[in-house]
Amino acid sequence: MASSEYKSLSLDEHVYSLDAEESEFLKQWTGISDDAELKNHILTKQREAYAVAPYPCIRGFGFTKLKISRLFPYKQLLQLQREKPKAILLDIGCCFGNDIRKAVADGWPASQALGTDIEKELWDIGYTIYKDSPETFPVPFIVGDAFSPSHLDVIAPWAAPPSSPAPDLKTLTSLNPLRGHVSAIHASSLFHLFTEEDQARLAARLAGLLSHESGSMIFGQHVGQPVTGNRVDPFKSGGGTMFCYNPEDWEKLWEGVFSQSGVKVAVRGELNEVPREDQPPEAEGKQSWRFTWSVTRL
């Protein structure tokens, strides 16, 4: 989705808030130990990034949150890596790369992780946020549109291993050579950007990336709601809408995607109502529904 569809709203530094764990993580990664200096650094980088892409997650300091580690599938992800040391982790819609950095900090090998997004400039800003570089943080990044066949073409879920070996992640220019080789895919704040039809198309593409092995997983978090359908998105220009799933219909979507290859999956979902202090003034209320989910091959 083009960032131009979103309103460029004024930034509010009062939304900035770090808990102890988030503060410690950012201090260790950036080398900035002073609270005031760290806040000034984050505010500066937020302004820089918001000028590039006025996404709500940037305005709301989502990149300072340890989101991936607070999702219920995260323990399963780390256990997967312990059991399969060569497992590949893909973060799609990775933005600055904050979630990959957290996974690497918690033990996922940088050589077995990969980020992809349609906005390369945001990934590059990530180096300046976290004060690292491609040399000190050697996780590869591929820029590309997940709906472009040249980047990620659709293929049926794998019922058997691919005939080709897993590629060297550093040599990739698209995701296509990875089809059938990815053990874990993290996709947060992504699906709700698209229409119902495009969410189904994206699910099919991600399913084709996933390894045939039992335990391979796709997981993430995005906006949901109790009744599947469109809702007004207060962050979009011109009264735009967002298509949101409930857990029951989300399960049906993924079961349908994998059933074409006779593959069984376990789909879990948790829908929670949460406050959103970064909502624009015209929004109806300050609440939103946060949907955390996982899809695991059996």
Side-chain angles (χ1 to χ4, degrees):
M1 171 169 290
S3 59
S4 59
E5 293 189 27
Y6 288 94
K7 303 172 184 175
S8 184
L9 302 167
S10 60
L11 299 177
D12 182 0
E13 69 175 74
H14 294 96
V15 178
Y16 175 85
S17 177
L18 302 179
D19 64 25
E21 186 181 5
E22 292 160 354
S23 177
E24 182 62 23
F25 177 79
L26 286 168
K27 287 177 178 179
Q28 288 185 353
W29 206 281
T30 63
I32 301 173
S33 58
D34 180 76
D35 289 332
E37 183 182 351
L38 178 63
K39 179 179 180 179
N40 183 64
H41 172 68
I42 294 299
L43 291 175
T44 299
K45 293 304 169 183
Q46 181 209 33
R47 288 193 295 270
E48 180 182 340
Y50 199 67
V52 173
Y55 291 129
C57 57
I58 296 175
R59 183 173 180 268
F61 296 99
F63 60 96
T64 66
K65 307 304 176 185
L66 304 178
K67 175 185 284 186
I68 190 172
S69 64
R70 295 173 178 180
L71 306 182
F72 71 77
Y74 191 63
K75 290 182 179 179
Q76 179 185 343
L77 174 74
L78 297 183
Q79 181 63 31
L80 175 65
Q81 196 281 322
R82 288 190 289 268
E83 295 174 354
K84 301 175 181 178
K86 295 297 184 181
I88 293 172
L89 167 63
L90 172 67
D91 189 3
I92 185 166
C94 61
C95 195
F96 305 121
N98 43 296
D99 287 317
I100 298 182
R101 284 175 172 84
K102 175 57 177 168
V104 169
D106 288 342
W108 197 283
S111 60
Q112 297 299 117
L114 178 73
T116 185
D117 204 306
I118 200 168
E119 302 270 8
K120 184 179 186 299
E121 192 168 356
L122 296 180
W123 177 264
D124 291 339
I125 291 173
Y127 292 127
T128 69
I129 292 174
Y130 299 100
K131 292 183 174 290
D132 52 22
S133 68
E135 290 70 39
T136 59
F137 180 66
V139 169
F141 171 84
I142 304 175
V143 64
D145 181 349
F147 295 103
S148 170
S150 63
H151 182 59
L152 180 57
D153 204 1
V154 66
I155 191 172
W158 296 81
S163 58
S164 59
D168 180 349
L169 301 187
K170 293 181 179 178
T171 67
L172 293 175
T173 57
S174 81
L175 295 179
N176 281 325
L178 273 178
R179 290 177 297 178
H181 293 293
V182 181
S183 296
I185 301 172
H186 175 239
S188 280
S189 300
L190 180 65
F191 275 89
H192 64 215
L193 300 177
F194 306 111
T195 64
E196 178 182 10
E197 294 75 17
D198 281 347
Q199 289 188 47
R201 292 173 60 211
L202 180 59
R205 280 165 164 75
L206 297 189
L209 281 169
L210 206 61
S211 165
H212 75 288
E213 294 182 329
S214 174
S216 298
M217 61 188 295
I218 309 172
F219 70 104
Q221 184 183 86
H222 54 249
V223 179
Q225 59 185 16
V227 179
T228 297
N230 283 306
R231 53 162 286 185
V232 174
D233 186 344
F235 292 99
K236 286 184 180 178
S237 302
T241 60
M242 171 189 292
F243 188 85
C244 300
Y245 276 92
N246 66 16
E248 295 76 20
D249 290 330
W250 188 248
E251 180 177 6
K252 292 175 184 176
L253 169 67
W254 285 101
E255 288 178 342
V257 166
F258 280 95
S259 66
Q260 62 179 301
S261 296
V263 175
K264 299 290 187 180
V265 292
V267 184
R268 286 186 59 195
E270 294 180 358
L271 186 64
N272 296 291
E273 192 173 14
V274 295
R276 281 289 300 265
E277 294 302 324
D278 61 326
Q279 294 269 35
E282 64 272 22
E284 296 182 4
K286 295 291 185 181
Q287 298 297 108
S288 181
W289 290 92
R290 184 176 294 161
F291 182 34
T292 307
W293 54 275
S294 67
V295 180
T296 306
R297 289 189 57 138
L298 301 177

